[in-house]
Each structure stands twice: as C-alpha cells, then as structure tokens.
Amino acid sequence: MKLSILKKIRVVLALFFFLLLSAVFIDFRGTFGDAFYQWAVSLQFVPALMKTITVAGVVAWGLIAVLLLTLLFGRVYCSAICPLGIMQDVVSWVSRKVKKKHRYKFRKAWTITRYTILGLLLLVVLLGGITLLTVLDPYSLFGRIASYLFKPVVVWVNNLGATALSSADVYSILYQYDLAPVQWAVLGTTILFFILIIVMAFNRGRLYCNSICPVGTVLGFLSKYSLFKIELDHDTCTQCGKCMRVCKAECINIKHQTIDYSRCVACYNCIDTCPEDAAVYRISRKGKKEKTVDLKPANVMVAQPKGPQMNKRSFLFTAGAGMAALAGVASVKKVQAAATAQQGSTIHSSNGGKIPEDKNYAVSPPGSESIERFNDICTGCSLCVSACPSKVLQPSFLEYGLAGMLQPHMDFHAGLCNFDCTTCGEICPTGAIKPLTMEQKHVTQVGKAHFIKANCIVETDGTDCGACSEHCPTKAVHMVPYGDLVIPEVTEDICVGCGACEHACPVTPHRAIYVDGNPVHLEAKKPETEKAKSDLKAGEFPF
Amino acid sequence: MKRRDFIRSSVGAGVATGAALSLGGANSLLGAEAETDFDLVAIRGGEPEVMFDKGIAALGGMSRFVKPGQRVLVKPNIGWDRTPERAGDTNPKLVRRIIEHCLDAGAKDVLVFDHTCHEWTKCYQHSGIEQAVAEAGGKIVPGNSERYYKHVDVKGGVKLKETDVHELMLNTDVFINVPVLKNHNSAKMTIAMKNLMGCVWDRGYYHKNDLHQCIADFLHFRKPDLNVVDAYRVMTQNGPVGVSLDDLVTMKSQLISTDIVAIDAAAAKFVGMDPSEINHIKLASEAGFGTMDLSKLKIKRIVV
C-alpha cells in the first residue's frame, strides 16, 4: 500500500494551507507581519493571476507553480492549497460522520453549467467588470467567510477570555477587541455563499468546485492533460466500487473503469481505499486513456443526479450574479445615492448635522491609483480589511456601484487612515493596491475634505470643538478665529483624504466635515511649516 | 537594580533633610516654610528622569503620595502613533522613572493606560511607553474597548453629568496624571486637565457638549493625586498631533503639582499663554479645583 501515502501527504498539506489561510484572515492582533501575509497567499491562483496581469513585467511565481503542479499532478491546488476546497472537505468529512450511510456515486458532470459560468465571467471581464470573479473566486470567497464569519467567533471567545483575565487584573495575555460592523448586505452575501457551499459539500462533496468555481473549471480543463493521473488498472480492478463511494468529486465511473479528470481533485481517497491496489497514480498511458475519458458517459448502473432542484438553484444563482455584474456598468453615483439614502436614520443629538454630505465618489485605498483601476483588479478577498490596523478599510456593497461590489473602501465611520501606515499596499496579493513608500503615501491624495459650516458644532452650538483639526496629520484642516471661538478651515491641496477629520467629527446624523473620494488619486502638496520658536531662555522660568 | 538603589538613597536623603529642617527651630524663626510644602515644583535643564528625581524630592518624595501596598494608576498621554522624538505622547523616560519611584515607595502595582486616538497597539509600541512600563516593572493596560469602561455619575458636573470611565479609575488607590505639554487647536493647550479625556470612552460627547466645560467637569469625578507635566520637548504649534519636527521646541522642563489648575496655568506660561485665555483652566479655577493665579502659589524652581 505504498501509494496510500499520497493521501496522507495531501491531508497534511491541506491542513497546513487551511490553517495558514485561516490564521491570516483571523489574525486580529496583527501577530503575523506583512511579509508573512504576502507569503501565505502567494500560491493562491486568482490573486497570483491578477498580479501577473496587473503588475507589468512581473509574473507571480505562485501562478507558475500552480500551473506546473496542475500539468504534472492534476488538481492538487484544489485538494491541498485552495482553502475553500479544504473547507468543503471538512464539511464532507463531518457529513460522513453524521450520516452513517453517506456514500458518493458517479454522477454526470455539470459541463454546461460550469462552462457557462466561466464564459459569462470572461464576458463580463471583457465588458470591463470583474464582479463575477470577485463573487466566485474560491480564495476571495474563503477570505470573506473567514473574515466575516470565522473571525467574529474567534474574537468573541477571545473577548470572553479577556474579560475573565482582566477581572483577575491580568491584561498582558488577552485584550478586548472590537470588530468594525460589516454592512448587512456584505454579511448577507457572505452567509448566503457559505450556506450554499456547506449544503453542496454536505450532500455532494466537491460539487461547488466542479459546477460553479471558475478556478475549478480552468484547472479541470488543464488536468485532462496532466502528466500523472489516477487510473483504474483494468487487470486488477474488480469493479467493487469502493473507490467510487469515497470519491467526493463523484467522478469515478466504475462501470467503465474511467475517471473524469476534469473533476478529479487529486484527493487520493480512491487510492487509499482500493483493496486491490487497482487505483494507481502513474504517467498517463496516452491514447488508450483518452478514449475512455468520457464527460458524459451513458450510465445505467448509477442513478441520475438527485434532481433538478440543484440545477435550478444553480441556474438562478448564475443568472442573478451575471445580471448583477452587467448592471455594474450602470452609473456609480446613482447607486451610491441609493446607498446613502438607506443610512442616516440616526437620532439628532446636537443642533447640527442636518445637511447631508455630498459624496460623489467612494474613497479607494492609497496605492489603488484610481477607482476604475481598483475596481478592475480587486477580487474583494478582504485580506487588507483584516490587516488594516485602524479598521478604515471595510468591504463595500454599493459604494463603488455594483462593479466594485465587496471590494474594500475607506469607511471613515469605522476608522481613519493612519498617515504613516502602508500595510494594505504591502499585503495586497492581486496588485490592486500597489505598495507605497512612506514618502509616496504622505502625498497620495485619495480624496479631499469638505466642510459644512451649517453642520458644525462651533456654528450651531456656539462652543469649541476642533476634533477634526485635532486629528488632521497635515493640518489641511486647521482652526481659524470665529468670534471668541475657532472654526475649521480646509486647505485642499495639502489634504490627503485620510478621513481623520470625518472620523473624529462628533456631529450626527450628518458630519460637518467629510471626505469625497478622488476618482483618480492625485498628488498632494507637502505642508509647509515654520520652525517653532520660544522666547524662554534656558534655565529661565516664565513665572 | 543599581538605579533603584540610587533613587531609594537619594529620595531617602531628601526626606531626611526635609524632616531635619522642619524640626529645626531656626527655620520657624526665619519664617521659612517646611521644605516640602510647595504648591508647584518647576524644574528646568535636565533629562526627564533627572528632573523628576529632583522635583519629587523637593515635594518630600513619592512616599508622600504612595503608601506601601497601594495600587497606582499612572496616566500618560499615549494618544498618538508617534515616536518620542515627535513629542506627541508623554516622554517614556519620565513614565519609567515615575513607575520606579512608585514601586520604591512600596506600591503593589503600577498600572498604565490611555484611551488612544490612533490604533492603540501602535501608540503603545511606537511611543516607547509600553517598553518603558515593562522595564520599570509596571503593567500596561489596554483602553481600546468599551468593555473596559464603567458607567459613572459626575456629581456636580455642569455639562458632563455622567460618563464611562476606564475600570482602573475605579479600582486604583493613587492616581498620577502625566501629560505632555502641547499646543491644541481648540482646547488651546493640552496639559493636565485635557489629558484626563483619555480616561473616558466617549470623547465625542465632550466635543459635542462644550469641550471646555466637560474637561473641567471631569474633576468632579476624580482629581489626580499628583500631576507631572512633561515639557521636555514641547509642540508649540500644529498640536496635538504635529506635522513635523519643526513644531517642537526643546524646553527641557518639567512641572510637578498636586494642584491640577495651578500646573496647567504654569504650563501655559511656558508657551507664552495667559492661563485665563484657556477656558477650561478658568472654569476649573472658578469651580474651586485649584488656583490659576500663579502669584498666590508657593513655587519651587529648580535648575538642573
């Protein structure tokens, strides 16, 4: 049973990648550095592909590695590297424990569905949007599931522990952590996909990977030509069907002793199970095999797929997502107006805040260069959202319009962009957020602050405030005399759009100062300062 | 260990001298005050830790404020993600020395926190205060989550009648306030009283409800037992964050007082402001929390 070691290796690798990727997205304490994040996601297919396309002259080695692996050994990526795939295996494993009689059987491939989705995705990309990729990319999907569903659970447990420890006066091990609230629509989308994938995996193993996942479709296509393949040795195989029953890809046709390589995820369960050692992993015996690979075998022995229910759901979903993506070409501003209209039912607690902010554009992260460029590349994996120390990066729903759905935007209610922080650019795996040096970051203007005097406390309540200017790192927002008080004033050309002013402004429901995004990022002027002086001589006291 | 011994012996000597002088008949004949009976000690010209050694000795040593077995809260300004050179936060050398003095006086625990404006782990780390606290033997405590804050009434407050304060405000015996002196765009200056804004959860409430009145009102809840103003590097413009090193003047100064109004008034003078120009100082003085008229104060001036 020498070959059964393959499954063990696969399980170890899978657990490693699953824990690695989970850790990266759940790491709310920022334990792992930027370099670690970058390294941890480097083998993920879609980000590596995006980076290769977007960052001119750079071919991400992760992409080459995955393609080579696939051409050599089949869909190893799906079984051992893709966190979403491994998550499904965990679910299948549980389902086999729960449902005693859980057995897989050979099913027809959903060829039309998967190629339709892939085709639609490419069509949408040609039309200038990647929404469908954002929605379906397994890495990004897992990123959002881990960030918005797994992480809160871990944080909740952490906070319970921190409460217990602080009551014993211990503050050094755990500390309380507050998650920024995620919009219900983003959370809802994530939960929807999570449930969809769980249900599919619970009943049908790797059905998502072999019917919806665009990466699965592409790598499945390549796998047909891979050097090493699992084959059922016709001389030793007794057609007992044990391999078929453990095949979560449902791709072993035991009657014809063939395997659908477009669906085989190289999990090696069959090799591990076969009592006759008839399932072997070897350099494919070409010619002979090619004939037996049959995507649509006429099948008598095995029952047909469970029914049209799943097909219908899949169709509806596909159509829905496709329409959403197409609609993304629609005007950004209109959709944003609708989005802001949803908010703003907060209670008035001062005299101000009556005039709504006039935001024309969402603010994209520094290093993204322009909203258009960013929307074209970012797959919304949420790695930057997870890593952003000040929580200013939050997933959007309609802020960029449908074209930028689930991509991060700067949410100044959640935080402010720290002037000296360059984390998001350092870790972005797709190149959607380019890394900036500190000097570049300091003059990157992602938006501009706008002051609404009629909302300001100084004007409405006649008392000092200055919270906006207090937080401004360049003093683009500074205070000027206003009767006995001081009131903010904005120098636009030195404003970098970091949102510190908007974040600090205590006025509700509408802020007295807000940042409107620059659709194309600009270069801010550097603030000029005079050298501070003091008349006080050394050793002298002013009293 | 050596440093600790040095402090112990020098503080001991200071107390002994003070006691000897106050017992001597000659002093009372000459009308001299007891050596430690100052409203304010102002020190200039040394490193932060050296100035504090001299200053606290002039007040009779830390044992006057910290009794053996007590839990001490030290509240520096750690509000901003800035390195010590940028003087956005309290000088870590000063924080370290204060903790050492407290532990030498027999404190059971010295706890340090701030409700920061920037991301708190970065502030604690980059300000150098986290490390200083650890090295001195104190405990650094997070103030980043509302869960650490407890609701309290501010009896007598005009605008600030209730607020949520950090749990350490409720379970420590001694409260030492250690602000850094800075220019502030709307509070005019941020000194001792303004530093207490870092003890509450909802700072926005202050900004929304008459900033100066709220700053003064907080003293109805708890007044620090001792205030130490770090004026080693002073941000005289573009405060409280500062745009560049140009905003700083190296003053090598420090102030120590139990009177929070007096210390703020004196600190304002260092940057050429009249205390009455700063509304919260005026309001606190009128409410009887201290004296802002420097001519009425007994001030000890020390040049290192």
Side-chain angles (χ1 to χ4, degrees):
Chain A
M1 291 287 263
K2 269 185 289 171
L3 276 175
S4 65
I5 187 105
L6 282 172
K7 183 190 167 175
K8 293 188 182 79
I9 295 172
R10 187 265 298 175
V11 169
V12 169
L13 276 176
L15 282 175
F16 169 76
F17 277 102
F18 185 71
L19 293 174
L20 180 75
L21 270 298
S22 300
V24 156
F25 286 101
I26 294 172
D27 180 25
F28 62 93
R29 291 172 60 127
T31 315
F32 311 119
D34 297 352
F36 182 86
Y37 280 59
Q38 189 66 274
W39 172 81
V41 298
S42 55
L43 270 182
Q44 297 301 318
F45 185 75
V46 168
L49 176 71
M50 295 308 280
K51 195 155 211 168
T52 305
I53 296 169
T54 58
V55 183
V58 178
V59 179
W61 67 267
L63 180 71
I64 297 171
V66 171
L67 290 177
L68 270 179
L69 265 179
T70 311
L71 285 171
L72 280 173
F73 304 110
R75 288 169 65 178
V76 182
Y77 175 81
C78 303
S79 60
I81 300 170
C82 172
L84 195 77
I86 303 158
M87 187 185 90
Q88 293 173 71
D89 288 352
V90 174
V91 175
S92 314
W93 182 81
V94 172
S95 91
R96 276 209 302 269
K97 296 276 155 192
V98 180
K99 297 199 288 185
K100 286 288 173 213
K101 283 189 177 169
H102 191 289
R103 280 173 189 165
Y104 298 109
K105 47 194 166 187
F106 178 80
R107 313 256 193 172
K108 270 187 190 171
W110 290 22
T111 314
I112 296 169
T113 309
R114 60 203 294 208
Y115 282 105
T116 306
I117 291 176
L118 185 65
L120 212 67
L121 189 151
L122 292 173
L123 183 73
V124 174
V125 168
L126 283 176
L127 290 172
I130 62 156
T131 313
L132 209 47
L133 184 61
T134 303
V135 173
L136 300 179
D137 165 36
Y139 156 76
S140 302
L141 250 173
F142 179 79
R144 293 192 294 270
I145 289 170
S147 300
Y148 309 129
L149 303 180
F150 295 174
K151 189 172 171 177
V153 176
V154 175
V155 166
W156 178 71
V157 172
N158 167 82
N159 288 352
L160 282 183
T163 306
L165 285 173
S166 67
S167 65
D169 220 9
V170 176
Y171 294 97
S172 53
I173 303 165
L174 298 177
Y175 56 76
Q176 302 285 352
Y177 185 82
D178 296 339
L179 286 162
V182 178
Q183 309 190 46
W184 66 266
V186 173
L187 200 62
T189 314
T190 310
I191 291 173
L192 197 76
F193 272 88
F194 183 63
I195 292 172
L196 175 77
I197 290 164
I198 293 285
V199 169
M200 281 178 135
F202 196 84
N203 296 310
R204 298 277 305 272
R206 291 296 197 106
L207 183 61
Y208 179 86
C209 312
N210 285 329
S211 60
I212 296 173
C213 179
V215 177
T217 308
V218 169
L219 295 184
F221 178 77
L222 287 181
S223 288
K224 291 192 223 167
Y225 307 100
S226 67
L227 189 63
F228 279 86
K229 286 189 173 95
I230 298 168
E231 290 175 352
L232 301 180
D233 191 288
H234 293 279
D235 301 331
T236 41
C237 174
T238 60
Q239 293 187 313
C240 71
K242 282 189 176 165
C243 54
M244 180 188 74
R245 282 178 221 127
V246 295
C247 177
K248 62 205 176 200
E250 302 178 321
C251 71
I252 299 176
N253 185 337
I254 196 67
K255 195 176 181 202
H256 297 122
Q257 295 175 337
T258 57
I259 294 170
D260 175 359
Y261 295 113
S262 76
R263 284 188 287 158
C264 170
V265 293
C267 73
Y268 313 121
N269 280 358
C270 50
I271 295 175
D272 189 52
T273 309
C274 181
E276 325 294 341
D277 287 351
V280 290
Y281 200 45
R282 61 189 176 197
I283 294 179
S284 179
R285 296 178 185 172
K286 250 191 151 185
K288 182 187 161 195
K289 288 298 141 197
E290 284 216 335
K291 274 176 214 155
T292 50
V293 176
D294 188 359
L295 284 174
K296 292 173 218 166
N299 205 315
V300 214
M301 192 183 92
V302 192
Q304 290 300 304
K306 230 181 187 175
Q309 213 176 353
M310 201 62 95
N311 268 310
K312 194 165 147 199
R313 186 187 302 176
S314 152
F315 170 75
L316 282 175
F317 159 77
T318 310
M323 272 158 64
L326 287 166
V329 191
S331 155
V332 175
K333 195 169 173 176
K334 265 186 208 161
V335 187
Q336 276 167 347
T340 34
Q342 283 177 355
Q343 307 169 343
S345 57
T346 338
I347 310 145
H348 286 254
S349 59
S350 95
N351 302 327
K354 282 167 189 151
I355 299 170
E357 301 96 330
D358 183 26
K359 290 195 185 197
N360 293 301
Y361 295 99
V363 187
S364 63
S368 61
E369 293 182 345
S370 73
I371 290 178
E372 198 188 345
R373 180 187 172 276
F374 184 62
N375 288 168
D376 281 350
I377 305 168
C378 171
T379 59
C381 74
S382 294
L383 186 64
C384 58
V385 176
S386 273
C388 177
S390 50
K391 301 174 197 166
V392 64
L393 285 179
Q394 292 300 325
S396 68
F397 188 59
L398 298 174
E399 282 80 354
Y400 293 113
L402 283 171
M405 203 167 78
L406 302 174
Q407 296 175 350
H409 75 293
M410 309 261 271
D411 180 351
F412 298 128
H413 289 237
L416 56 91
C417 180
N418 191 332
F419 197 54
D420 291 340
C421 178
T422 55
T423 298
C424 54
E426 302 293 338
I427 60 152
C428 176
T430 60
I433 311 175
K434 285 187 178 173
L436 297 177
T437 63
M438 194 71 86
E439 286 74 30
Q440 291 170 327
K441 166 79 194 285
H442 283 175
V443 293
T444 300
Q445 188 190 64
V446 296
K448 289 184 212 69
H450 297 275
F451 178 53
I452 309 171
K453 194 174 165 189
N455 279 357
C456 182
I457 278 170
V458 182
E459 165 80 10
T460 57
D461 294 32
T463 55
D464 271 317
C465 173
C468 51
S469 168
E470 186 177 326
H471 286 71
C472 179
T474 62
K475 285 290 171 277
V477 182
H478 51 271
M479 306 300 283
V480 293
Y482 191 70
D484 291 342
L485 309 170
V486 281
I487 201 160
E489 185 183 79
V490 183
T491 311
E492 277 192 8
D493 59 359
I494 59 168
C495 173
V496 293
C498 72
C501 53
E502 183 176 336
H503 181 63
C505 179
V507 184
T508 49
H510 304 295
R511 306 280 158 121
I513 196 160
Y514 66 92
V515 174
D516 192 10
N518 285 346
V520 177
H521 293 182
L522 303 172
E523 192 176 321
K525 276 191 190 159
K526 279 185 183 170
E528 287 172 26
T529 51
E530 283 173 31
K531 180 77 191 121
K533 284 188 220 77
S534 170
D535 300 332
L536 208 61
K537 291 183 181 68
E540 194 181 76
F541 291 90
F543 41 77
Chain B
M1 199 62 205
K2 270 182 184 168
R3 184 194 289 137
R4 187 87 44 97
D5 287 342
F6 164 75
I7 299 167
R8 191 172 286 141
S9 55
S10 56
V11 169
V15 173
T17 325
L21 284 169
S22 60
L23 286 171
N27 287 311
S28 41
L29 279 172
L30 292 166
E33 321 285 344
E35 185 74 16
T36 59
D37 194 19
F38 298 113
D39 295 314
L40 179 79
V41 177
I43 316 106
R44 294 211 67 188
E47 288 304 297
E49 62 273 31
V50 177
M51 290 193 285
F52 185 72
D53 287 346
K54 305 253 183 197
I56 195 71
L59 278 175
M62 193 56 99
S63 55
R64 239 188 85 186
F65 307 97
V66 176
K67 303 293 171 221
Q70 283 188 320
R71 282 160 58 82
V72 182
L73 167 59
V74 171
K75 163 67 178 74
N77 187 338
I78 330 177
W80 309 96
D81 179 7
R82 288 282 183 269
T83 54
E85 295 71 41
R86 294 286 298 273
D89 307 301
T90 307
N91 196 307
K93 289 181 185 174
L94 174 62
V95 177
R96 180 203 310 245
R97 193 55 137 223
I98 291 172
I99 296 169
E100 286 169 349
H101 276 274
C102 292
L103 290 171
D104 280 328
K108 185 173 138 221
D109 258 328
V110 183
L111 303 122
V112 181
F113 89 97
D114 194 9
H115 178 198
T116 62
C117 296
H118 285 157
E119 199 278 320
W120 75 283
T121 59
K122 300 264 187 293
C123 296
Y124 276 28
Q125 196 190 339
H126 295 159
S127 66
I129 290 177
E130 186 173 46
Q131 196 191 348
V133 172
E135 284 171 8
K139 268 187 196 168
I140 194 103
V141 177
N144 62 307
S145 167
E146 195 171 356
R147 294 185 195 87
Y148 289 117
Y149 294 76
K150 307 277 179 267
H151 194 78
V152 295
D153 290 325
V154 182
K155 291 193 182 75
V158 179
K159 290 277 184 179
L160 188 74
K161 294 178 189 296
E162 52 181 3
T163 188
D164 294 320
V165 297
H166 196 281
E167 59 191 32
L168 290 187
M169 295 292 294
L170 301 173
N171 59 25
T172 48
D173 306 303
V174 184
F175 178 24
I176 303 177
N177 183 26
V178 195
V180 61
L181 170 63
K182 282 191 291 180
N183 162 266
H184 195 282
N185 51 57
S186 54
K188 298 263 172 78
M189 296 303 298
T190 161
I191 326 174
M193 252 184 267
K194 173 76 176 66
N195 190 43
L196 302 182
M197 257 178 99
C199 298
V200 308
W201 176 249
D202 187 5
R203 284 185 298 247
Y205 180 89
Y206 278 52
H207 284 280
K208 260 197 272 192
N209 296 280
D210 194 348
L211 181 65
H212 286 278
Q213 186 63 57
C214 287
I215 292 173
D217 282 349
F218 185 82
L219 298 175
H220 285 289
F221 169 68
R222 190 169 179 183
K223 253 171 69 173
D225 301 292
L226 187 66
N227 302 281
V228 185
V229 171
D230 165 29
Y232 187 83
R233 295 185 192 92
V234 180
M235 190 185 292
T236 60
Q237 62 189 23
N238 290 328
V241 215
V243 173
S244 72
L245 290 171
D246 278 350
D247 299 324
L248 305 179
V249 176
T250 304
M251 288 196 179
K252 292 200 173 187
S253 307
Q254 201 174 95
L255 296 163
I256 310 176
S257 177
T258 54
D259 184 336
I260 195 165
V261 182
I263 205 168
D264 275 4
K269 287 273 193 185
F270 266 94
V271 287
M273 285 189 81
D274 193 84
S276 61
E277 289 175 51
I278 301 164
N279 208 13
H280 64 263
I281 299 183
K282 214 162 73 180
L283 291 167
S285 170
E286 284 163 10
F289 289 118
T291 318
M292 67 177 223
D293 184 352
L294 293 168
S295 66
K296 289 186 182 153
L297 297 173
K298 279 167 274 181
I299 302 174
K300 169 77 174 173
R301 297 171 182 81
I302 302 169
V303 178
V304 177

